[in-house]
Amino acid sequence: MNTLQLKDIKPLPEYEAVRKSFRDRIIALKKKRRIPLGDRVTLVFENRDTILFQIQEMMRVEHIYDPARIQDELDTYNPLIAGPDELSSTLFIEITEPERIKEILDQLRGIDSGRCLFFEIGTDRVNGRFEEGQSNEEKLSAVHYVRFRFSSEQRAAFRDEQVPAALIVDHPHYRARTLLEKEVRRELSGDLL
């Protein structure tokens, strides 16, 4: 895993000088790494650049200058960078009706079980592995961190644009399937080293 180090982080005055161009680049990058699954679930696939942006923005918002606190941010966010043969994503359950948040999250309990969210590559499946601690029997978070670990055969099939690939959520109360466009597959294939 190509983790971020203190030396990769720009001090706030330097970051402010490049923020607009860096932000514009990350927004364009995230458009290629964002996969909606129906009208309630979206995954954004993270990489070193998206995580670097997140850390720099946290430093900016929270006025973090102390190297120890910056290291805390690195320790928090580095685990979101995909390891070898992995894709790493942030899953958002998007609810636009505030009065229905609890109801919808209750309906989607179990979505993080590891059986409901997967890539389908040809006839093969790559199940999502959810970070623990984002839900329990009584409560489901609206944000989750999910990894997809690929075998060498799955990785090769994912890179082969002749093999159909889709991202699927198959939950008793929510089903959606998104066929991956070539541009998205090419972008995400760069993470599967």
Side-chain angles (χ1 to χ4, degrees):
M1 182 173 12
N2 190 10
T3 58
L4 293 161
Q5 308 296 317
L6 274 172
K7 65 181 175 54
D8 299 313
I9 306 299
K10 291 188 182 308
L12 286 177
E14 287 181 37
Y15 179 62
E16 284 297 340
V18 299
R19 180 177 181 260
K20 182 180 179 341
S21 62
F22 186 47
R23 183 177 177 272
D24 290 348
R25 185 172 72 80
I26 295 301
I27 288 170
L29 178 64
K30 283 189 174 190
K31 282 183 183 176
K32 293 188 277 186
R33 302 178 72 83
R34 183 179 193 277
I35 302 175
L37 277 170
D39 62 348
R40 292 253 182 250
V41 175
T42 300
L43 281 85
V44 176
F45 286 84
E46 307 291 358
N47 70 6
R48 193 171 192 273
D49 287 340
T50 65
I51 297 303
L52 175 59
F53 177 71
Q54 181 68 32
I55 292 170
Q56 291 282 183
E57 286 294 303
M58 288 297 291
M59 289 175 52
R60 181 177 185 268
V61 168
E62 296 185 10
H63 306 287
I64 300 173
Y65 294 91
D66 176 34
R69 287 197 55 212
I70 296 169
Q71 187 61 55
D72 288 343
E73 295 297 324
L74 288 165
D75 294 344
T76 298
Y77 286 100
N78 264 329
L80 301 182
I81 299 173
D85 301 323
E86 281 186 334
L87 293 177
S88 177
S89 67
T90 304
L91 178 145
F92 301 94
I93 298 173
E94 301 180 31
I95 306 169
T96 56
E97 311 97 329
E99 69 280 359
R100 295 193 63 212
I101 291 173
K102 183 179 180 340
E103 169 196 347
I104 292 169
L105 290 176
D106 285 350
Q107 286 176 351
L108 291 175
R109 271 193 260 153
I111 197 169
D112 58 341
S113 69
R115 296 180 305 274
C116 297
L117 178 68
F118 53 91
F119 278 102
E120 185 178 76
I121 308 162
T123 58
D124 206 359
R125 264 190 188 187
V126 179
N127 288 324
R129 292 181 298 130
F130 285 72
E131 180 181 89
E132 293 183 11
Q134 299 298 311
S135 64
N136 58 40
E137 291 179 13
E138 298 172 11
K139 180 183 154 219
L140 177 70
S141 174
V143 178
H144 295 267
Y145 302 109
V146 187
R147 293 184 180 277
F148 299 87
R149 184 148 185 91
F150 288 68
S151 68
S152 57
E153 294 82 12
Q154 291 165 333
R155 187 177 66 235
F158 188 82
R159 287 185 170 140
D160 181 350
E161 294 175 6
Q162 301 304 311
V163 177
L167 187 58
I168 298 170
V169 62
D170 186 10
H171 182 274
H173 300 289
Y174 188 82
R175 288 182 175 82
R177 173 188 176 92
T178 300
L179 190 61
L180 302 184
E181 297 176 10
K182 289 180 182 179
E183 182 179 7
V184 171
R185 285 177 80 166
R186 289 177 190 146
E187 176 65 33
L188 297 182
S189 288
D191 295 354
L192 294 171
L193 304 175

